[in-house]
Amino acid sequence: MCLRYNIVISLSESVSGLRILTTQMFNNHLTKYNNMRKIEAQMCEAIRNRKRFKSGNTEVRPLLSGDVIVYLHGNWIALVTFGDYGKPSYVNINNQGWKTPTTKSRFNAILRHFSNWSVYQKAKKWYSANSEIENSQAEFGNNRWEHFFVGF
């Protein structure tokens, strides 16, 4: 688990100069971790570090090739392929026929962590889109592998 803290110090003027009124510590996760479930943050850390992880219905398994497979309820839902310098180059996802909020949430955690892609639902259909590419929306296949290029 990744812990990040910012310290907020409120200052005010007084006769003797500046004095500290309050110091608060609060958790200020990086943007990619905002609104992410704890299990998904741990899953993404395990993928990035290519470490084995299992919690509840989610499992991360590194392969000998250096790539990583993600399972949800025993179904193979994602393959993260690592390229040169240990950086991910592709994310491949497949809902295995399960169009559930949990499946979509796991996809979005992985895609948003490693890229600008995401999956969303509209009128009972799933779509993928890239936040940096205008008109990049495409219908997301059911029980079909979808490939996302995420880096070099």
Side-chain angles (χ1 to χ4, degrees), residues 88-137:
S89 53
Y90 289 95
V91 172
N92 305 288
I93 57 178
N94 184 334
N95 64 16
Q96 302 293 346
W98 296 94
K99 287 188 167 184
T100 67
T102 303
T103 304
K104 187 170 38 175
S105 182
R106 296 298 189 274
F107 287 166
N108 281 325
I110 295 168
L111 289 170
R112 289 177 180 154
H113 185 79
F114 294 107
S115 72
N116 295 311
W117 288 97
S118 63
V119 175
Y120 68 95
Q121 183 175 343
K122 185 175 181 182
K124 296 185 180 182
K125 289 188 178 182
W126 282 20
Y127 297 89
S128 60
N130 187 314
S131 61
E132 292 187 346
I133 302 173
E134 194 172 328
N135 298 320
S136 64
Q137 298 84 358

Side-chain angles (χ1 to χ4, degrees), residues 2-3 9 23 26 31 36 40-41 46 56 59 63 66 68 76 87-88 109 113-114 133 137 141 148:
C2 210
L3 297 176
I9 302 174
T23 302
F26 66 95
T31 304
M36 190 183 296
E40 291 169 350
E59 184 175 2
L63 300 174
V68 177
W76 178 15
K87 294 188 177 186
H113 185 79
F114 294 107
I133 302 173
Q137 298 84 358
F148 299 90

Side-chain angles (χ1 to χ4, degrees), residues 14-102:
S14 69
V15 177
S16 62
L18 295 176
R19 64 186 168 98
I20 297 174
L21 291 177
T22 60
T23 302
Q24 298 174 320
M25 290 191 74
F26 66 95
N27 193 1
N28 186 22
H29 287 266
L30 296 173
T31 304
K32 292 185 184 232
Y33 288 99
N34 283 347
N35 302 321
M36 190 183 296
R37 296 175 181 163
K38 181 178 177 182
I39 190 171
E40 291 169 350
Q42 292 171 329
M43 172 189 71
C44 288
E45 288 288 320
I47 293 169
R48 191 176 70 235
N49 296 320
R50 296 185 238 182
K51 301 280 184 188
R52 192 172 186 90
F53 168 77
K54 182 165 177 43
S55 179
N57 56 20
T58 303
E59 184 175 2
V60 174
R61 291 186 199 165
L63 300 174
L64 292 176
S65 65
D67 299 337
V68 177
I69 292 178
V70 179
Y71 292 90
L72 179 63
H73 293 293
N75 294 305
W76 178 15
I77 64 162
L79 170 67
V80 180
T81 304
F82 286 81
D84 295 336
Y85 309 110
K87 294 188 177 186
S89 53
Y90 289 95
V91 172
N92 305 288
I93 57 178
N94 184 334
N95 64 16
Q96 302 293 346
W98 296 94
K99 287 188 167 184
T100 67
T102 303

